[in-house]
Each structure stands twice: as structure tokens, then as C-alpha cells.
Amino acid sequence: MSTAEAAGPSAVHHPLAARRLRTGASRWADLVPLLAYGAVAFLIFLPALITPNRRIIGWPGDAQQTMWFLRWTPWAISHGQNPLLTTHLNHPAGVNLMWNSLAPVLGVVLWPVSAAAGLVVSYNLLVGGEIVLAAWCAYLAIRRLVRSRAAAACGGLMYGFSPYLMAHAHGHAKVSFALLPPLLLILLHEILVVQRRRAWLAGTALGALLTTQLLIYEEGVVLALVAGSAGVAVLALTNRSELRRRRSHALRALLWAGATACVLATFPLAVQLLGPNHLSGTVPGGDVYVTDVANLVVPTDFQMVAPPPADVVSRRFSGNEVENAAYLGVPLLATVAVVALRRRSQPVVRWALATGGVLLLLSMGPQLHVGGHVSRLPLPWRALQAIPLLGSALPGRLFVYVDLLAGLLLAVFVQAAVRSPRGRGRWVTAVGLLGLCIVTLAPRLPFPSSAVEVPSFFTGTGVAAVPPGSVVLVAPFVHDGPSDPPMLWQAVADMRFSMPEGYFIGVRPGGVRVDGPRRSLTASLMIAIQSGHTPRLTPPLRSRVIAELGRWHVGTVIVGPMPHEDLMHRFVTDLLATSPRKVGGVLVWARR
């Protein structure tokens, strides 16, 4: 076996460690996969990118909330407000946005795009760009562990365009922002194996990375701690002699990482855990959003190759279609098996297989799911679920790390095929197996895109009639679902007004989670009307609703395009005893 083949996480002289000086041509060559991934993403997301200011990649649901977040952070900073809290939603009680997917870092980074081209373009750039960058970061990480650029590029392609990330690209933009796993691998490889950088420098970089992730997708930090601990434990158990030689540097770096993260994350965590509207206990979901064993070989409807029998099975999985994204496919599993059998002498292969197996087991949640059937067999996540905060993480989302390690093993397979001395037959077999992996993992095309329509009232001069900083009740009333668009309308109107509604994780008395605003008579009536029911507005009922509007400080009521708009029009007219103005595609009532 060659030195390059034997090198891995435990190697004293890693293949990359030997190349201390990299030429300019070498650096430029690393940009080729980035351009290739960009081209692939452009073709996949083309239905939305043809008109990037009017259509979004994927489905509208959570995307509208994400666009609100992209606008909120710049607005709050520019107006001297705490971006981690808001009373623009759920007015006057407000929302602790640290319990939500605020992603203030993304709001700041995309601020120029949002201001110049609009939130729809900014959202499309986020979704498309994060897939490309995730693939490229995976390439850079895998490139440290294999010599072949082509092999590393294949591994990066598999990770960035995996069923997991492509499923979440339908609407979970912050979940599909998956740069952390490969960057974590790079930094841990540096700290534990290569140790080329000073301990304080590598540790500070790791702490800053985790804090940045905290301000993009907080659950990702929890998952990173679990995945990183598993990887480090496997490395330590399989390389005890090397551990003794390297532990001093590694411990210093990890201490620097912890100190840096503590300093940088103190304020946002204090707001989350001690600030207004903070939750107590855990956010449920750990026994629903898990990896179903059958999902490893049974595709969902998101895949290009998904026969009807597979669809029957996948519909029985717990959770939802976006979260059921643990598909690897038979060809890729066969590739991993080949690598396990033929390349198991390589330390990197043994480490990736062991770590991937541990993370796969943890991603299955507290009890085993097989084809939608929940068995009584307890699994290791049950013990982790009892740990505060960790129990709020969704174990199925650990699968992104399984995908990264599968990409690494695929790269080992491709590298071995490229360098095989046994002739063209083996090369053809390898290319055929790689082609099958690509076909089975390919997403269904055309990739979904959704039209985004905002009434001209919110984009033109009409909204100027609403006093800045006032409270507006908007219909459809936004409560515990992401499909209603008023949050996007508010964001497009540059946060001119607050609303007593919204789609967010809130809190009941006692710190118990509630999705959306607390129950109220007005909300119940409006939600019933949105479903086609017509409540009888008696004088006592009218008095109670008017009193609620007063407690909310509502000065304006707006009814936009919505189901059963005529019923809502009649209800608000009767409630306020006045007729609306129709302007810019909406109906507007000003309260006396």
C-alpha cells in the first residue's frame, strides 16, 4: 500500500501535511469544483432563477418566514433595536427570536442584496449559494484526506447535492446551510491530526465557527457537538499512541475554542435563556423526526428514481417529506461496502466507517423506526434526549454528517479506481457504479418553484397611509402555520408596522412552547372565517373583539388576497361599522 493510500486521520505525516507550500495553480485548481457545483445548482434551480425576483426556489411555507428574518436583522440594527427580540410580531408581548430560526448572520451578509434586489432574490441566492458552498466546503475537507482532486470533487458533489440537503432546500433554508460539518472536519483535522497551526489560532477559529453557526442555525451547534464528540472518541479509541503525542496541543486548542465560543455566544444565549419570552424545558420532536431504517434504501417522492411501491412505504415514515431525507440508495451503500472490504486497512476508512455508524445509530432517535413502524427497541439517543437543550435537537438531522462521511468514502472509492493498475475492466465497473449513484441520488426535476406575489399596497405608496410604528391587524391572520403571507408583506413594507400575529415559536405562561400567538377571541374568529365559516357577530361578541383590538393597540385593519376574502370583508365591516378603502389590491380600515 502506498503512503497516500495509508494516510488518514491518525497518520503522522498526512498527505496534505507534506505539501507545506502550495502553488498558485494549485489554489486556482480548487476553484474548478466550485464553478462546476455552481453550474449544477443553476441547472437544478433554473425554474426559479429564470425570474429570480418573482419566484422562489422550493415551496412558499417557511420561505416567507425566512425572508422576514432576512429583513428583520438589518432593520433592527439600522434602527438601534435588539435584533434578537421583536414586538413587530405578537404585539405587544413580542417574540424571543433566539428560539426561532432568526439567522442574523445571514441577514447581515445578504443585507446589500436584500436592499438592492429585494428579499425574493436574496432568498434564492441563499438557497442556491448554500448548496454550492456546502459542496465546495466538503470538497476542501475531503481533499485533506484523499490526494485526487477528482475523487474529492465527487465526494463534495454527493454531499452538497445529497437527498438530505436537496430535500431541505424545498423550504428549510437554514437547515440546508450545511457548511459547518465539512468546516468542522477541517478544523478538527487540523487540531487533532495535522497540528500545523498554533493551538490558539486553530482553537479560536473553531470557537468563532461554532458561534457563527449559533447565529445561523442554532440546532446545528448541538448536532456539531454530538458529531464532533463521536468523531473524536473514535479517533482516540483507535489511535491511543498518537493521542498521547498530540493531546497537549489538542487540549490547548479545544480550550481556546471553548473560551472563544463562551465569550462570543454569551449575549445571544443570555437573551435566549434569560430574556423575555424564553422557553423552559425542551422543544419536542426527537421521537418523530428520526432516521427510518427503510429510508436508507427507499427513496421519497423527491428523488428522480422513486417507483410507486417506494412511495407507498415512504409515506408511512414519521415526520414529514422534507425531514425524511436519509436516503443513500443501494448503489452508494454498495460502494461503501466495497470500500469497507477492500480499503479497510486505511485509517481514514476505518475512522469514517466507525464514526458514520455511530452517527447513523444516533440519528435513528430514541427508538427504532422501520418502514413507519415504531418498535419498542430503545436506542442510544434516548439517553441523550434527557440532557437539557440537547433534547430539543431533532436526531434525524444528524444525518447530514452521515452524508459527509459517505461522500468521503465515495471519494476513497473513486481515488482507488483512478489509480487501479488492473486495467480498464475495473475502471469501467467503477464508473458504472458511480453513474448509478448519481442517478439514484439525483433530485426529481423540474425542482419546485413558487410564485411570490405581494399586493402593490405594500410595495408602493399605499402603505404610507399607515402611521409608522403603528399596529396593524392583517388578514389572513397568521398563527401556527407558515403558508399565510402577511409576514412577507410586513417585511417588504420595511417593517413599517407591527402585528398581533405571526408564525413563530412563542411561549405560554410557565415557559411552555406555543406555535404562533396565544389563543384569543379575535384570532379564533378570523381563523374560522379563513376556513369558510361565518360567525354571528352579536353585540356582546363585537364588544369583546373591539376590546381585544384596543389591548393590542390596533389602529388599522387590512384584508389582503386570501381564501374567503368576501367573508372576511363582511366581518370586518360589521365589526368596525365602516366601509374599507380598496387600494393596491387590499382592503383598508382605519379605526376611529
Side-chain angles (χ1 to χ4, degrees):
M1 184 189 307
S2 68
T3 303
E5 289 176 328
S10 62
V12 177
H13 299 293
H14 188 271
L16 290 183
R19 294 197 303 274
R20 295 184 179 275
L21 296 177
R22 301 183 64 190
T23 65
S26 175
R27 294 190 182 94
W28 281 108
D30 285 337
L31 295 178
V32 174
L34 177 64
L35 298 176
Y37 300 147
V40 173
F42 180 80
L43 293 175
I44 291 175
F45 299 135
L46 187 60
L49 300 182
I50 292 176
T51 53
N53 60 337
R54 296 199 301 272
R55 299 190 71 84
I56 58 169
I57 296 170
W59 297 331
D62 286 335
Q64 296 179 7
Q65 185 195 56
T66 299
M67 287 186 276
W68 191 94
F69 290 146
L70 291 177
R71 183 67 194 106
W72 168 254
T73 300
W75 188 91
I77 292 174
S78 63
H79 287 76
Q81 296 191 22
N82 184 348
L84 307 182
L85 301 170
T86 186
T87 55
H88 272 62
L89 302 176
N90 196 37
H91 188 87
V95 180
N96 189 325
L97 295 175
M98 278 301 296
W99 283 102
N100 293 264
S101 303
L102 174 61
V105 168
L106 299 181
V108 171
V109 170
L110 292 171
W111 188 345
V113 180
S114 301
L119 291 173
V120 175
V121 173
S122 189
Y123 179 82
N124 285 330
L125 179 61
L126 169 61
V127 175
E130 66 191 6
I131 293 294
V132 173
L133 290 176
W136 191 55
C137 288
Y139 160 79
L140 295 177
I142 295 171
R143 183 76 177 91
R144 297 173 70 94
L145 300 170
V146 300
R147 280 191 173 273
S148 168
R149 279 197 177 86
C154 289
L157 179 71
M158 183 268 144
Y159 174 76
F161 296 87
S162 63
Y164 179 91
L165 293 186
M166 296 305 292
H168 284 286
H170 283 76
H172 291 172
K174 291 170 286 296
V175 179
S176 55
F177 193 91
L179 280 62
L180 174 63
L183 293 178
L184 180 66
L185 177 58
I186 290 173
L187 285 175
L188 288 180
H189 181 259
E190 169 61 40
I191 289 171
L192 301 172
V193 179
V194 181
Q195 299 187 342
R196 231 183 258 160
R197 311 295 180 187
R198 293 183 182 273
W200 72 266
L201 182 61
T204 301
L206 178 58
L209 174 66
L210 292 174
T211 306
T212 302
Q213 180 66 39
L214 176 76
L215 298 176
I216 293 177
Y217 163 50
E218 186 174 5
E219 187 180 15
V221 178
V222 177
L223 300 178
L225 294 176
V226 174
S229 299
V232 171
V234 170
L235 189 63
L237 290 173
T238 56
N239 298 272
R240 295 180 182 178
S241 60
E242 288 297 325
L243 177 65
R244 287 192 293 270
R245 296 179 52 191
R246 298 165 185 265
R247 64 186 175 188
S248 176
H249 178 98
L251 287 174
R252 290 199 309 273
L254 292 177
L255 287 173
W256 272 102
T260 302
C262 286
V263 171
L264 297 178
T266 294
F267 176 71
L269 288 178
V271 170
Q272 178 176 7
L273 301 177
L274 303 175
N277 298 306
H278 64 270
L279 274 66
S280 300
T282 61
V283 177
D287 55 348
V288 175
Y289 300 103
V290 302
T291 294
D292 191 299
V293 174
N295 195 191
L296 296 174
V297 294
V298 176
T300 67
D301 190 51
F302 286 159
Q303 303 309 123
M304 182 173 67
V305 179
D311 186 57
V312 172
V313 175
S314 66
R315 289 183 183 277
R316 296 199 296 263
F317 297 157
S318 64
N320 58 55
E321 195 171 23
V322 172
E323 297 287 354
N324 295 326
Y327 180 62
L328 293 176
V330 173
L332 181 57
L333 289 172
T335 302
V336 170
V338 169
V339 173
L341 290 173
R342 296 185 177 179
R343 302 287 162 179
R344 60 183 178 276
S345 59
Q346 297 184 24
V348 67
V349 172
R350 295 197 301 272
W351 174 81
L353 286 170
T355 304
V358 170
L359 295 177
L360 174 60
L361 184 62
L362 289 174
S363 76
M364 294 177 186
Q367 49 198 16
L368 187 65
H369 289 227
V370 183
H373 173 71
V374 183
S375 74
R376 296 182 179 181
L377 180 65
L379 296 176
W381 185 264
R382 185 182 295 274
L384 299 181
Q385 199 173 34
I387 301 175
L389 296 182
L390 180 57
S392 296
L394 303 183
R397 293 182 177 179
L398 268 174
F399 200 82
V400 67
Y401 287 91
V402 178
D403 274 337
L404 177 61
L405 296 173
L408 171 58
L409 294 171
L410 178 64
V412 172
F413 173 82
V414 172
Q415 177 173 264
V418 169
R419 299 189 172 194
S420 174
R422 300 187 182 181
R424 296 179 59 184
R426 187 169 180 178
W427 166 252
V428 171
T429 301
V431 169
L433 191 54
L434 181 62
L436 287 175
C437 290
I438 293 174
V439 170
T440 54
L441 297 177
R444 182 179 297 277
L445 299 177
F447 199 87
S449 67
S450 306
V452 176
E453 297 181 3
V454 178
S456 60
F457 174 86
F458 298 99
T459 59
T461 58
V463 75
V466 177
S470 63
V471 181
V472 177
L473 177 64
V474 185
F477 188 91
V478 189
H479 51 298
D480 62 350
S483 58
D484 295 327
M487 283 179 63
L488 177 59
W489 298 347
Q490 182 190 42
V492 169
D494 200 28
M495 303 294 174
R496 187 176 182 86
F497 54 85
S498 298
M499 301 189 299
E501 53 197 290
Y503 172 57
F504 54 85
I505 295 176
V507 59
R508 291 194 182 105
V512 179
R513 169 182 171 160
V514 59
D515 290 334
R518 297 178 187 175
R519 291 184 179 274
S520 64
L521 176 60
T522 303
S524 299
L525 293 173
M526 294 180 70
I527 293 168
I529 294 169
Q530 290 161 203
S531 301
H533 302 289
T534 307
R536 182 169 174 265
L537 193 62
T538 62
L541 189 62
R542 180 178 183 275
S543 297
R544 292 173 59 192
V545 174
I546 291 295
E548 275 190 339
L549 298 187
R551 288 194 296 272
W552 292 342
H553 311 122
V554 172
T556 306
V557 179
I558 296 176
V559 174
M562 58 174 288
H564 309 291
E565 182 178 336
D566 56 332
L567 299 181
M568 189 67 75
H569 179 183
R570 189 180 314 129
F571 170 76
V572 179
T573 298
D574 293 343
L575 176 68
L576 301 180
T578 184
S579 298
R581 293 184 301 116
K582 186 163 187 177
V583 52
V586 302
L587 301 171
V588 183
W589 290 261
R591 289 193 67 211
R592 297 170 183 172

